[in-house]
Amino acid sequence: MLDRLTTIRHPVIVGVCVLGSAAALLAGFPILNVAVASVAAYLILRVGTMMLGGLARPVPEPPPPGELRKVKITYRCDICGAEVRMTVAPTEEPEPPRHCQEDMTLVTPVE
Ligand SMILES: [Zn+2]
């Protein structure tokens, strides 16, 4: 999937640079200036898309159902009072979920 994205991303950037260069040449700018600007634009766009790609982390696959454990844990949000029951978790002592930007506190202990 990542390979597909990079192969699509490249031609778009090259296309933008080529079209921009052609427009600049038609507008009468010197060819050396156009070449330098085109290379600079390509590098800036590549770095920009690489940084954006780094932010877009794919969500990890959940483990197969056989590895999940049935649990019965209740968590409570100390800030707003909401309660949540967790029924299935990857481990018997999973990380508490977050609510109101804070970790929720355990209400029922792990049996
Ligand atoms: Zn809350």
Side-chain angles (χ1 to χ4, degrees), residues 59-109:
V59 177
E61 289 281 316
E67 285 180 25
L68 291 172
R69 290 164 203 281
K70 284 239 181 287
V71 295
K72 207 165 110 184
I73 312 169
T74 306
Y75 295 96
R76 166 178 255 276
C77 175
D78 286 334
I79 295 166
C80 74
E83 284 190 9
V84 166
R85 166 163 290 176
M86 188 179 286
T87 55
V88 177
T91 64
E92 280 176 33
E93 289 181 51
E95 295 260 312
R98 294 171 79 87
H99 200 267
C100 297
Q101 315 280 328
E102 295 288 333
D103 280 354
M104 299 180 86
T105 50
L106 199 67
V107 178
T108 53

Side-chain angles (χ1 to χ4, degrees), residues 23-79:
L25 285 174
L26 284 176
F29 286 97
I31 193 161
L32 185 67
N33 293 13
V34 172
V36 169
S38 168
V39 169
Y42 173 79
L43 290 178
I44 290 167
L45 287 170
R46 276 299 288 157
V47 170
T49 51
M50 275 164 58
M51 285 168 71
L52 284 179
L55 291 177
R57 289 264 164 261
V59 177
E61 289 281 316
E67 285 180 25
L68 291 172
R69 290 164 203 281
K70 284 239 181 287
V71 295
K72 207 165 110 184
I73 312 169
T74 306
Y75 295 96
R76 166 178 255 276
C77 175
D78 286 334
I79 295 166

